Amino acid sequence: MMRSLWSAASGMIAQQTNLDTIANNLSNVNTAGYKKDTAEFKSLLYQTLQSTSTNNAGENKPVPAQVGLGTRTSAITTVFTQGNLQSTDIDTYMAIEGSGFFKVRDQNGNTCYTRDGSFCLQPTADGGSMLCTSEGYPVLDQNNNTIVIPAGYKTGTITVDSEGNLFATDLNEQQVALTSTQDGQVYNQKIGVVQFNNPSGLTSVGGNRYMESVASGAPLEETANPGLKQSVIRHKYIEMSNVQVADEMVNMIVAQRAYEMNSKAIQASDEMLQQANNLRR
């Protein structure tokens, strides 16, 4: 069977994956904190048709004859460039300017990471309120504790400065720093922000959330690693998707044309096989 059939078929499969990735980017163009994906490809094995040989003069030819056997998807990489910051009037919305990630705790008790700062306040049993995501997952501070506004403060008020320090407004209209207790010590709460040595290695779990992996490395808490370039928290802002529609449309056209050319190669191979089958003595 002709190699071109299978090589072109692998190209069509690769371009279908490329188009799937582009479509996902376009569908999330208005998703807060979304980071675009890019499909990457690599060539498959090469078959050696002729190794080192000699010419008529007995001299070695410098180049062997090899033919490639197609392509496949090698990786789909998430690009963590900064998205545009959009101003809002919502007290609980926050955006990260920098390389950091917010920390949230999912329904299984695992710590996840996100760039989506569209948070809200959820009432607690004791009359207070807890800072959480729109799905109800608690947002964590620098010590992995939940952020709770106790009863006795104005309902639905929270303020955060550029360093992530959290404040609430009491009944006297005074801003008071939120505190928590750990190991018997009282400390001022800050929004937990971490960085990764290789953020592209994070595992996406949906809902704008990621989990650490061997490839990403362990999370580095910014407050515990002064050597890191500290992120800036922007209160009443939300980070939008970093997808550029014009770029994705161009990429889609290129993927479509590549898919079409591979299908033409299959058609040409089929016609050549048909001619061979119709040979007569």
Side-chain angles (χ1 to χ4, degrees):
M1 187 61 69
M2 299 179 69
R3 300 182 189 89
S4 57
L5 280 172
W6 302 103
S7 296
S10 70
M12 293 179 70
I13 294 172
Q15 292 306 320
Q16 179 62 58
T17 302
N18 190 19
L19 190 60
D20 291 341
T21 304
I22 295 169
N24 184 59
N25 288 338
L26 289 172
S27 67
N28 284 282
V29 68
N30 288 324
T31 301
Y34 176 79
K35 300 301 178 184
K36 69 177 182 179
D37 296 325
T38 58
E40 300 175 4
F41 308 97
K42 71 176 182 179
S43 59
L44 296 176
L45 294 174
Y46 275 77
Q47 186 173 358
T48 300
L49 304 181
Q50 179 179 308
S51 58
T52 305
S53 60
T54 58
N55 58 20
N56 293 335
E59 300 171 339
N60 288 331
K61 293 181 179 179
V63 180
Q66 292 182 300
V67 62
L69 300 180
T71 185
R72 72 178 180 89
T73 305
S74 61
I76 297 178
T77 304
T78 303
V79 181
F80 285 95
T81 55
Q82 180 80 47
N84 293 328
L85 301 186
Q86 181 175 311
S87 177
T88 72
D89 294 325
I90 303 176
D91 289 337
T92 53
Y93 275 22
M94 307 172 197
I96 294 178
E97 187 175 352
S99 302
F101 292 81
F102 296 114
K103 300 187 295 183
V104 299
R105 181 175 296 138
D106 67 10
Q107 69 275 17
N108 298 318
N110 299 317
T111 301
C112 300
Y113 308 93
T114 183
R115 293 279 298 191
D116 182 4
S118 54
F119 302 139
C120 58
L121 292 174
Q122 178 175 296
T124 58
D126 59 359
S129 54
M130 178 180 66
L131 186 67
C132 62
T133 67
S134 58
E135 295 174 305
Y137 299 140
V139 181
L140 305 180
D141 66 8
Q142 73 272 32
N143 291 328
N144 293 325
N145 294 320
T146 58
I147 298 170
V148 176
I149 301 176
Y153 291 84
K154 291 189 66 175
T155 304
T157 62
I158 191 169
T159 306
V160 59
D161 63 15
S162 61
E163 296 179 353
N165 296 297
L166 291 159
F167 304 87
T169 304
D170 62 17
L171 300 179
N172 296 320
E173 299 294 336
Q174 299 295 317
Q175 285 191 345
V176 180
L178 293 180
T179 61
S180 184
T181 303
Q182 182 166 314
D183 298 329
Q185 300 293 323
V186 178
Y187 67 92
N188 290 337
Q189 285 191 307
K190 297 180 65 173
I191 288 287
V193 179
V194 300
Q195 295 186 24
F196 292 90
N197 288 326
N198 178 31
S200 295
L202 290 168
T203 301
S204 179
V205 294
N208 280 356
R209 300 189 309 277
Y210 303 90
M211 294 189 70
E212 68 174 284
S213 66
V214 175
S216 69
L220 304 173
E221 185 72 45
E222 288 192 352
T223 56
N225 293 271
L228 294 175
K229 183 178 180 181
Q230 302 294 299
S231 301
V232 177
I233 305 298
R234 299 300 184 187
H235 185 220
K236 293 187 178 182
Y237 279 84
I238 191 71
E239 182 184 7
M240 301 307 296
S241 167
N242 66 348
V243 174
Q244 297 294 327
V245 175
D247 291 343
E248 297 301 320
M249 293 298 291
V250 171
N251 292 338
M252 184 168 59
I253 293 172
V254 172
Q256 182 180 3
R257 294 303 180 215
Y259 188 92
E260 181 180 348
M261 286 186 289
N262 279 284
S263 67
K264 291 291 186 182
I266 290 179
Q267 183 179 354
S269 298
D270 176 62
E271 292 174 355
M272 292 171 68
L273 288 172
Q274 183 180 6
Q275 290 297 326
N277 289 334
N278 291 336
L279 290 176
R280 296 289 188 272
R281 291 185 178 181

